[in-house]
Amino acid sequence: MSTLDIAKKYVDLVKANQHHTILETLFTPETVSVEAAAMPGFPIEAKGLKAIADKGKAWTDNHEVHSAKLDGPWPNGNRFVVRFSYDVTNKPSGRRFQMDEVGLFTVENGKITREEFFYSTEG
Amino acid sequence: MSTLDIAKKYVDLVKANQHHTILETLFTPETVSVEAAAMPGFPIEAKGLKAIADKGKAWTDNHEVHSAKLDGPWPNGNRFVVRFSYDVTNKPSGRRFQMDEVGLFTVENGKITREEFFYSTEG
């Protein structure tokens, strides 16, 4: 599959809320996930399927998603970018906010080997 | 200046159409600019201020911009992403189209040393 094929599959699976399928079919055991800022209790860089799944679970456990919008993918060579616009409530604080970020994904040998998330870390 | 400061300055200067000021103040003589696909007559990777300015001029000479919208910047470490949504007409063909792409910028020592543009290269 081309980078664009992988990118489209990734977008379709996120829209279908099939995060487990993403990990199982598009990621490798060594895939690295990099945040712009560390979530409490998690390193800024998670390596491997379990670490990435744990981080994802911590996020979904703590947030209620009211709506989600994806734009892209935008490809260049073996990488692609996706934009995420989420309307969420952080459960512990009750604070509702608009999450606006982009992901940069690196594809090697038909799998996503690196995902990096870009977002404001100010206020 | 932080990466986010550079990013905001970049966005402000693009909005003000001050592309020369971007090259003169935010880029280095060795900055590299990478396209997702090569423009006719240009390499996919342009290195240095003159090559980047020439590529920019070729594009502006050949396109009329009806409207331009920038989203972002989204930062992560020493990089940031900006989204460009342009409504343009290609002058030679007369074809009007929506240009939708993202740029990924790398900052080192307070200057942008690499810009990479992501967009669909299909039909």
Side-chain angles (χ1 to χ4, degrees):
Chain A
M1 286 198 291
S2 72
T3 298
L4 189 57
D5 290 335
I6 302 275
K8 287 177 176 171
K9 196 170 281 274
Y10 174 87
V11 168
D12 288 345
L13 287 168
V14 174
K15 284 182 177 171
N17 216 15
Q18 298 293 310
H19 294 277
H20 274 290
T21 308
I22 290 173
L23 293 185
E24 287 162 12
T25 64
L26 300 183
F27 280 31
T28 77
E30 289 79 34
T31 294
V32 173
S33 175
V34 184
E35 295 293 328
M39 281 201 297
F42 288 87
I44 203 160
E45 200 168 302
K47 184 167 182 184
L49 292 179
K50 183 173 181 321
I52 294 171
D54 286 350
K55 183 174 69 163
K57 184 175 184 315
W59 193 86
T60 51
D61 281 353
N62 282 293
H63 293 85
E64 182 186 353
V65 178
H66 306 292
S67 70
K69 183 169 171 280
L70 266 73
D71 293 299
W74 295 272
N76 176 326
N78 73 324
R79 294 173 300 164
F80 66 91
V81 170
V82 174
R83 178 179 179 181
F84 306 88
S85 308
Y86 280 33
D87 175 18
V88 299
T89 294
N90 178 264
K91 291 181 190 172
S93 68
R95 190 170 67 92
R96 184 169 180 163
F97 63 102
Q98 311 304 312
M99 213 183 83
D100 184 18
E101 65 182 64
V102 302
L104 170 66
F105 301 84
T106 304
V107 175
E108 292 171 284
N109 300 316
K111 298 277 186 177
I112 293 169
T113 55
R114 191 174 180 87
E115 61 173 9
E116 300 167 281
F117 296 102
F118 291 65
Y119 45 87
S120 176
T121 56
E122 290 186 330
Chain B
M1 287 198 289
S2 71
T3 298
L4 189 57
D5 291 335
I6 301 275
K8 287 177 175 172
K9 196 169 280 276
Y10 174 87
V11 167
D12 288 345
L13 287 168
V14 174
K15 285 182 177 169
N17 217 15
Q18 299 292 312
H19 293 278
H20 273 289
T21 308
I22 291 173
L23 292 187
E24 287 162 11
T25 64
L26 299 183
F27 280 32
T28 77
E30 289 79 34
T31 294
V32 173
S33 175
V34 184
E35 296 292 328
M39 281 201 298
F42 288 87
I44 203 161
E45 201 168 299
K47 184 167 182 186
L49 293 179
K50 183 172 182 323
I52 295 171
D54 285 351
K55 183 174 68 160
K57 184 174 184 316
W59 192 86
T60 50
D61 282 353
N62 282 291
H63 293 86
E64 182 186 353
V65 178
H66 306 293
S67 70
K69 182 169 171 280
L70 266 73
D71 293 300
W74 295 272
N76 176 324
N78 73 323
R79 293 172 301 164
F80 66 90
V81 171
V82 174
R83 178 179 179 181
F84 305 88
S85 308
Y86 280 32
D87 175 17
V88 300
T89 294
N90 177 264
K91 291 181 192 172
S93 67
R95 189 170 67 93
R96 184 168 179 163
F97 63 101
Q98 312 304 313
M99 214 184 83
D100 184 17
E101 65 182 65
V102 302
L104 170 65
F105 301 84
T106 304
V107 175
E108 292 171 284
N109 300 317
K111 299 277 185 175
I112 293 169
T113 55
R114 190 174 179 87
E115 60 172 10
E116 300 168 281
F117 296 100
F118 291 66
Y119 45 85
S120 175
T121 57
E122 290 185 330

